[in-house]
Amino acid sequence: MLNVNVKHDPATAIQKLEQFGEFGGVNPSITDSSTFTFLGTETMEGTFHGETQGCFLYSRHWNPSNKYLSDALAAMEGTEAGWVTASGMAAITSAILQVCNAGDHIVSSVTTYGGTYAFLKFYLPKFNIETTFVDSTDLNAVSAAIKPNTKLIYTESITNPLLQISDIPALSEIAKRAGIRLMIDNTFSPMIIAPHLLGADIVVYSMTKFINGKNDCVAGAICGTKDFINSLIDLNHGTAMLLGPVLDPLRSSSILKNLHTLHIRMRQHSKNAMYLAENLQKIGVKAIYPGLPQHRGHETLKRIMNPDYGFGGMIAIDLATPQLANTFMEDIQKKGVGYLAVSLGYFKTLFSNSGKSTSSEIPESIQKEMGMSPGLVRFSVGLDNDIEHTFELIKSTLKDLKLIK
Ligand SMILES: *Cc1c(COP(=O)(O)O)cnc(C)c1O
């Protein structure tokens, strides 16, 4: 049984790791090899059969750079193990395909990243894996959707783009009662939420976003039990081993360095987002931000979050029509607020119209059902040192467009 009160400090867990490399560099040596030598044939055979520990065989399976990063992520999440992939989608699809076989069923939140939605809705049916989409904040709906062949409940801790909050402990209880697994995409809230410690079996990430925080690469991660990670890279049955979505070790090495500043960045993203959300609210603009008391998931988030890192760096505002949203975004880009771009977790503020970009895989009728306005502008708030000035720029554009007085 999970204990929400156990204090897990993800930043300290990462900080405490020590990797003394061959030459003692403060950063571990980068693995620049796809294959590894063995001093004897016996060790090679043993490694192939998984009996010899601590040896590396081939980089699609494991390599030291990926191991260092995976260990740091597992420390952050409080899981036994982790494995890093070449994209967030690679992490999500590999983990799902490892859990589900032909004929199985998934219960998923209807508000998920567009690529995940498309994978569940359009791609998995070709393997005869069906998904029922529900509002994952409606626990009764989640329970009611579970069938005898359901293997997995899937959702995001803070969902994209409406920033709904998943009650992970409650979802975990539902999953445990049904004898199935709970998988959580924690891309929007690393460190803020520790899904595994709240009862999730598998945690997936797009490291492209906050974890790496530089928008210089795509990458992903899967965290879970040792057994699950080993099953993913099993030579005969492992989805990750056989589909081969491994992350390049050069990238692992650079992401590991960025991971060490994640706690400082998350605090600043959260602080800036809170400032914008509160001040937008004050001037009469409806801001969707889980840090605001009027947000539907505010109390849930307060109950499950690590308060050291704030309420996250994502906010959304509803400008009603795509035309208004477009004019607004072009204007604030000209003023220097940030960039009109998809993705998130960057040091500059990024903004896009969700319905026309990151959620465009989701049919418009479903977008409506989800409560997603066609004029929704999603912000990934940057690390601005002068957020007051950024707010003034946004406010002046809102005034010019007569959206406020
Ligand atoms: C971006 C994103 C993904 C996909 O990750 P990639 O690294 O682009 O493959 C999955 N889930 C969420 C919540 C995301 O924001």
Side-chain angles (χ1 to χ4, degrees):
M1 190 55 208
L2 69 112
N3 183 348
V4 186
N5 298 317
V6 168
K7 176 85 176 134
H8 172 74
D9 178 355
T12 302
I14 294 168
Q15 183 83 1
K16 273 176 21 193
L17 291 174
E18 289 179 334
Q19 308 289 0
F20 292 101
E22 295 155 276
F23 303 108
V26 290
N27 291 309
S29 313
I30 299 172
T31 304
D32 196 22
S33 295
S34 55
T35 189
F36 299 84
T37 60
F38 290 88
L39 292 178
T41 50
E42 216 174 286
T43 341
M44 181 185 256
E45 276 173 36
T47 302
F48 252 103
H49 297 127
E51 290 146 9
T52 309
Q53 299 297 309
C55 286
F56 293 94
L57 186 69
Y58 186 63
S59 269
R60 172 155 41 81
H61 181 251
W62 264 132
N63 60 67
S65 295
N66 289 9
K67 188 79 171 66
Y68 293 143
L69 177 58
S70 300
D71 287 351
L73 292 163
M76 172 173 93
E77 287 307 309
T79 56
E80 283 176 6
W83 201 77
V84 290
T85 57
S87 70
M89 283 310 295
I92 293 163
T93 57
S94 299
I96 291 176
L97 286 171
Q98 193 62 30
V99 172
C100 295
N101 296 314
D104 287 345
H105 173 253
I106 298 168
V107 176
S108 169
S109 163
V110 63
T111 58
T112 57
Y113 177 72
T116 308
Y117 178 85
F119 179 70
L120 295 168
K121 174 85 178 176
F122 305 121
Y123 194 90
L124 280 184
K126 81 177 188 183
F127 296 114
N128 194 22
I129 298 170
E130 299 293 335
T131 302
T132 302
F133 294 95
V134 297
D135 172 355
S136 61
T137 60
D138 179 350
L139 299 172
N140 292 328
V142 174
S143 293
I146 294 173
K147 303 198 263 187
N149 60 338
T150 306
K151 287 284 151 53
L152 182 68
I153 299 174
Y154 183 93
T155 190
E156 297 170 0
S157 34
I158 300 186
T159 68
N160 181 43
L162 292 173
L163 313 179
Q164 288 174 328
I165 307 298
S166 296
D167 188 340
I168 299 170
L171 289 170
S172 162
E173 251 170 54
I174 294 172
K176 289 210 165 71
R177 231 181 295 135
I180 61 177
R181 283 192 263 203
L182 173 64
M183 191 184 300
I184 300 282
D185 179 338
N186 199 39
T187 300
F188 278 31
S189 45
M191 296 196 161
I192 296 170
I193 295 175
H196 175 68
L197 301 179
L198 296 167
D201 301 283
I202 301 156
V203 186
V204 286
Y205 275 107
S206 168
M207 295 199 289
T208 312
K209 317 296 169 54
F210 288 105
I211 289 186
N212 186 51
K214 305 291 180 289
N215 267 310
D216 54 4
C217 70
V218 283
I222 306 167
C223 295
T225 61
K226 245 187 205 133
D227 278 352
F228 183 69
I229 298 300
N230 283 339
S231 76
L232 271 170
I233 52 171
D234 182 271
L235 299 191
N236 294 314
H237 304 282
T239 309
M241 188 60 192
L242 298 172
L243 300 187
V246 69
L247 181 60
D248 185 87
L250 273 161
R251 275 303 176 193
S252 282
S253 153
S254 69
I255 296 170
L256 179 60
K257 284 174 275 194
N258 293 334
L259 182 68
H260 279 277
T261 58
L262 179 62
H263 58 301
I264 301 169
R265 292 186 277 114
M266 288 315 291
R267 269 195 208 112
Q268 186 72 11
H269 284 301
S270 288
K271 187 178 147 210
N272 284 350
M274 188 63 142
Y275 182 89
L276 289 186
E278 279 180 334
N279 284 284
L280 284 165
Q281 196 80 7
K282 270 186 207 152
I283 57 169
V285 178
K286 195 176 164 276
I288 302 171
Y289 184 62
L292 296 175
Q294 51 270 48
H295 187 277
R296 256 186 62 211
H298 180 67
E299 290 303 322
T300 310
L301 183 53
K302 271 193 8 200
R303 181 158 49 79
I304 64 173
M305 74 193 281
N306 186 336
D308 290 353
Y309 303 103
F311 293 91
M314 304 300 293
I315 67 177
I317 60 173
D318 184 358
L319 297 183
T321 68
Q323 292 75 22
L324 259 181
N326 289 346
T327 318
F328 169 78
M329 292 188 299
E330 285 174 8
D331 242 61
I332 58 172
Q333 176 164 255
K334 272 188 216 126
K335 286 191 171 140
V337 168
Y339 294 141
L340 169 61
V342 297
S343 198
L344 46 127
Y346 189 51
F347 33 78
K348 276 180 181 275
T349 296
L350 303 179
F351 37 83
S352 59
N353 176 331
S354 300
K356 302 282 177 216
S357 58
T358 51
S359 295
S360 58
E361 294 93 332
I362 301 169
E364 272 176 33
S365 62
I366 309 265
Q367 291 188 14
K368 215 179 241 166
E369 228 178 275
M370 288 164 54
M372 207 174 104
S373 156
L376 193 78
V377 176
R378 186 189 77 174
F379 283 85
S380 165
V381 181
L383 299 174
D384 312 29
N385 196 40
D386 188 356
I387 195 69
E388 290 86 352
H389 177 63
T390 307
F391 173 70
E392 288 305 322
L393 297 176
I394 296 173
K395 191 168 130 187
S396 72
T397 296
L398 290 166
K399 256 190 196 151
D400 293 347
L401 297 178
K402 307 213 169 356
L403 290 164
I404 53 163
K405 287 208 186 86

